[in-house]
Amino acid sequence: MFRVMAGQVALVSGAGSESGIGMAIARRLGAAGVKLIVTASSARIAERVSELRAAGFEAEGRAVDLTDEAQSQAFADWAESLWGRIDILVNNAGMTMQGSVEPMVEVAKMSLAEWNLSISRNLTTAFLLTRAVLPGMQQRGYGRVVHVSSVTGTRVGNPCEAGYSAAKAGMVGLNLSLALEVAGQGITVNSVAPGWIATAATLPEEARAAAYVPVGRAGHPEEVAAAVAFLASPEASYITGETLVIDGGNSLIENKAP
């Protein structure tokens, strides 16, 4: 994998947290010789770029609101101008934006604004960035698009997370249709669906729930990154429209009681 990916260019969204999945993906791709373009919703992305460069990777990045159509297109245009192409797009943005947490509201009490917020940050971001990057991939006849979905909404559910669940399920739906649209153009489109993954944003109740995962622990961002890196590689050329679950077998077990 490391040999065949060297020199490619990857755009990874949602890479603002030092310990998050986005940065783990960027580091994994960088270690494979991939040039990196990262983004997040706040200026802290500059710190992540510095960290990636300090690790010896070629990296650029800037803050952008990917829920905004004009900003998404302008960012994609800038990203492609850096090295002349984008070979890999990883749509990881979502869940929370710095200073704005994901709404946790029952459907009967949810406002339209709260619903729209969840859909916008978790699904529309992926649509806008993918749409902006696709023409270049189509012109060159090669591309890898990987969506970071979730088991929430695709395999399991949680109370008060209807918006998030709908968005993550929608991401898989986008994945299925888009994969067929570009299947004959050298472009693959896949998703990964993480379960409980230990990051700095993990809540105490999430950490407790992870203790009942069949493998006995929460996952690590690096384990998600490994799956993304494979799907983003030329070696995964015959895999498209698929969703790879990364949850330690948690969605397989019905009785999660001790």
Side-chain angles (χ1 to χ4, degrees):
M1 184 185 301
F2 286 84
R3 177 179 60 82
V4 297
M5 297 181 74
Q8 291 194 354
V9 180
L11 194 167
V12 182
S13 69
S17 171
E18 182 181 7
S19 63
I21 291 173
M23 272 295 281
I25 293 169
R27 293 188 188 101
R28 178 70 181 232
L29 294 175
V34 176
K35 299 174 182 179
L36 303 169
I37 303 163
V38 293
T39 186
S41 59
S42 71
R44 64 177 177 168
I45 195 63
E47 300 173 14
R48 306 290 85 83
V49 171
S50 295
E51 291 163 3
L52 291 168
R53 289 175 178 172
F57 307 139
E58 292 186 74
E60 299 287 346
R62 64 169 55 170
V64 61
D65 179 3
L66 293 176
T67 66
D68 182 271
E69 182 176 14
Q71 287 192 47
S72 293
Q73 184 64 58
F75 172 72
D77 292 343
W78 170 79
E80 186 155 341
S81 74
L82 293 172
W83 288 296
R85 69 187 193 277
I86 296 171
D87 303 294
I88 301 162
L89 171 62
V90 181
N91 286 308
N92 178 64
M95 188 62 182
T96 60
M97 299 170 67
Q98 193 171 34
S100 176
V101 299
E102 182 70 22
M104 299 288 288
V105 187
E106 293 180 6
V107 170
K109 300 176 182 177
M110 184 181 295
S111 68
L112 180 59
E114 288 168 328
W115 171 265
N116 286 339
L117 177 61
S118 287
I119 300 299
S120 179
R121 66 168 40 150
N122 291 295
L123 179 57
T124 304
T125 51
F127 161 70
L128 289 175
L129 199 51
T130 301
R131 188 185 65 177
V133 168
L134 269 178
M137 290 182 173
Q138 291 172 314
Q139 182 179 18
R140 290 182 293 275
Y142 181 86
R144 297 287 182 268
V145 179
V146 184
H147 303 303
V148 180
S149 180
S150 175
V151 294
T152 306
T154 60
R155 295 295 183 94
V156 296
N158 284 312
C160 301
E161 290 191 27
Y164 177 79
S165 297
K168 289 301 185 180
M171 183 176 281
V172 172
L174 168 64
N175 176 73
L176 295 172
S177 290
L178 179 58
L180 293 174
E181 292 174 8
V182 299
Q185 302 172 28
I187 303 168
T188 64
V189 188
N190 293 288
S191 296
V192 296
W196 297 121
I197 305 297
T199 69
T202 298
L203 299 173
E205 56 267 29
E206 293 173 334
R208 288 192 294 271
Y212 300 110
V213 170
V215 302
R217 62 172 176 85
H220 305 299
E222 293 75 17
E223 292 171 311
V224 179
V228 171
F230 170 65
L231 292 173
S233 74
E235 296 172 319
S237 58
Y238 206 57
I239 303 172
T240 195
E242 292 299 319
T243 299
L244 178 57
V245 175
I246 310 166
D247 74 344
N250 199 44
S251 59
L252 301 178
I253 186 167
E254 184 173 359
N255 185 357
K256 294 182 173 64

